[in-house]
Amino acid sequence: MKLWMDFLSYHPYWLLYLKSDIYYLLFYHVLRYRRKVVRQNLMRSFPEKNARDVKLVEKHFYRNLCDLFVEAPKMLRMESDGYKNRLTYTNPELIKQLYEQHKNVFYAIPHSGNWEWFGKMMPDLSNHNCLAVYKKVENSVFERLMLYLRTKDCSLEMVESNSALRRLMQLRESQNAVLMVADQTSHGLDSDYWNEFLHQETCWFTGLERIAKKLDYAVVFVAMKRTGRGRYEVTFELITDNPKETEKGYIMECYARCVERFIEGQPDNWLWSHRRWKHQRKQAEA
């Protein structure tokens, strides 16, 4: 599998996107991959949209999803492929300022844009020691492949979510920047953070807030907007640079509102194929 990915990484973008168009026809029209889940998520999230508008967002989402699939091999040779020209930042000075202020940083990013590409480019943003938190998956082959893609020729350290706090405690003498994809579906417990998000009762993992407050990490929302095929624009939004002084739930609520506002602005650019709302609060167990 690694050799195959390495082979694909040499493909020019036009060829990869031609393959993406074929994958779109296969996954959307033939296999109908998770179409019921995607349609239900969109209809509940945008009750003001008619069926035609929902279907249009749905189709654009599947095209974006297939593009993400073919863009993955390019993670193996970003530098030689002119990758930096494909990802631009509107306000990188915010990250440099936080570094100069000796602040550790949590990059809080949703499943939008190409979050994998952003992770690979983190070391270029500042002189922070860079880490990324990931959730272990059952398929060990797929996990090894993704770790290989994320870390090859890159100073990014991958940390499994269950050991994230322990590892960051070990690195307290370093100035760190940590990437966390913080919009995954939590366990649906009363101890999770619950709010209304996209017109639905939604639960969130609280690890981002708990670790930020404990270790005094600034929290920055990463809005990664797709501007074209293989081209993305990143804007940073500071949620807090003084987390210990915030009230319980403040960071999670701010993050949720940032994600919601971003999705409403570019609805096809979020990962609609996961079962984000499989838990309901009234069914949650303590």
Side-chain angles (χ1 to χ4, degrees), residues 2 28 38 46 59 68 96 119 132 141 212-213 244 249 266:
K2 290 181 180 179
Y28 184 73
V38 173
F46 301 103
K59 288 183 175 181
L68 288 175
K96 291 181 174 62
V141 175
K213 290 173 73 71
K244 289 189 174 183
Q266 200 176 39

Side-chain angles (χ1 to χ4, degrees), residues 2 5-6 9-10 73-80 120 144-156 158:
K2 290 181 180 179
M5 295 292 283
D6 193 55
S9 70
Y10 286 100
K74 287 297 185 182
M75 294 166 66
L76 296 177
R77 48 193 81 260
M78 296 180 186
E79 299 290 342
S80 61
K120 290 282 282 195
R144 288 197 299 270
L145 175 62
M146 291 309 300
L147 291 176
Y148 172 71
L149 288 174
R150 291 164 176 167
T151 59
K152 186 177 184 297
D153 299 327
C154 179
S155 59
L156 181 68
M158 300 301 301

Side-chain angles (χ1 to χ4, degrees), residues 24-33 35 59 63:
Y24 164 74
L25 295 174
L26 177 64
F27 283 101
Y28 184 73
H29 292 286
V30 180
L31 299 178
R32 301 173 68 87
Y33 172 72
R35 273 183 54 172
K59 288 183 175 181
R63 289 189 178 278

Side-chain angles (χ1 to χ4, degrees), residues 185-249:
T185 304
S186 68
H187 299 302
L189 304 178
D190 286 342
S191 57
D192 295 328
Y193 183 75
W194 290 82
N195 67 359
E196 184 176 307
F197 172 73
L198 293 175
H199 306 285
Q200 298 163 85
E201 194 78 356
T202 307
C203 55
W204 306 78
F205 282 116
T206 59
L208 171 67
E209 177 169 296
R210 286 187 290 104
I211 299 177
K213 290 173 73 71
K214 184 176 181 64
L215 301 182
D216 198 30
Y217 274 49
V219 180
V220 175
F221 175 69
V222 181
M224 192 171 188
K225 180 181 179 182
R226 183 187 299 272
T227 59
R229 298 190 98 172
R231 299 189 182 277
Y232 301 92
E233 179 185 88
V234 175
T235 299
F236 299 110
E237 181 176 339
L238 181 65
I239 292 179
T240 180
D241 59 359
N242 193 12
K244 289 189 174 183
E245 299 301 317
T246 62
E247 296 181 0
K248 183 179 180 180

Side-chain angles (χ1 to χ4, degrees), residues 36-199:
K36 288 185 179 180
V37 173
V38 173
R39 181 72 57 85
Q40 183 180 71
N41 284 343
L42 286 170
M43 291 182 67
R44 290 180 175 177
S45 299
F46 301 103
E48 74 282 1
K49 292 183 180 295
N50 58 40
R52 181 180 179 181
D53 290 339
V54 167
K55 191 170 184 178
L56 184 62
V57 173
E58 179 182 277
K59 288 183 175 181
H60 286 166
F61 158 71
Y62 276 95
R63 289 189 178 278
N64 293 342
L65 184 65
C66 292
D67 279 2
L68 288 175
F69 179 71
V70 300
E71 287 169 5
K74 287 297 185 182
M75 294 166 66
L76 296 177
R77 48 193 81 260
M78 296 180 186
E79 299 290 342
S80 61
D81 199 51
Y83 172 83
K84 293 180 181 179
N85 295 327
R86 293 182 169 270
L87 200 159
T88 58
Y89 305 94
T90 62
N91 58 339
E93 64 277 2
L94 173 61
I95 307 304
K96 291 181 174 62
Q97 289 170 4
L98 291 171
Y99 180 79
E100 292 169 357
Q101 294 167 8
H102 305 287
K103 287 286 187 179
N104 294 308
V105 177
F106 262 127
Y107 290 118
I109 189 171
H111 284 93
S112 60
N114 190 324
W115 58 94
E116 298 286 358
W117 277 15
F118 177 79
K120 290 282 282 195
M121 294 305 294
M122 279 173 55
D124 288 349
L125 280 169
S126 68
N127 290 322
H128 284 97
N129 176 48
C130 295
L131 306 94
V133 177
Y134 76 98
K135 187 174 177 61
K136 192 177 183 66
V137 297
E138 294 182 2
N139 189 320
S140 60
V141 175
F142 177 76
E143 179 169 317
R144 288 197 299 270
L145 175 62
M146 291 309 300
L147 291 176
Y148 172 71
L149 288 174
R150 291 164 176 167
T151 59
K152 186 177 184 297
D153 299 327
C154 179
S155 59
L156 181 68
E157 177 183 348
M158 300 301 301
V159 181
E160 207 280 321
S161 58
N162 290 330
S163 60
L165 177 58
R166 182 170 66 252
R167 180 55 179 154
L168 293 180
M169 291 284 286
Q170 295 171 348
L171 296 172
R172 294 193 76 158
E173 299 303 315
S174 301
Q175 196 169 338
N176 306 310
V178 183
L179 177 64
M180 182 176 287
V181 182
D183 60 345
Q184 299 98 328
T185 304
S186 68
H187 299 302
L189 304 178
D190 286 342
S191 57
D192 295 328
Y193 183 75
W194 290 82
N195 67 359
E196 184 176 307
F197 172 73
L198 293 175
H199 306 285

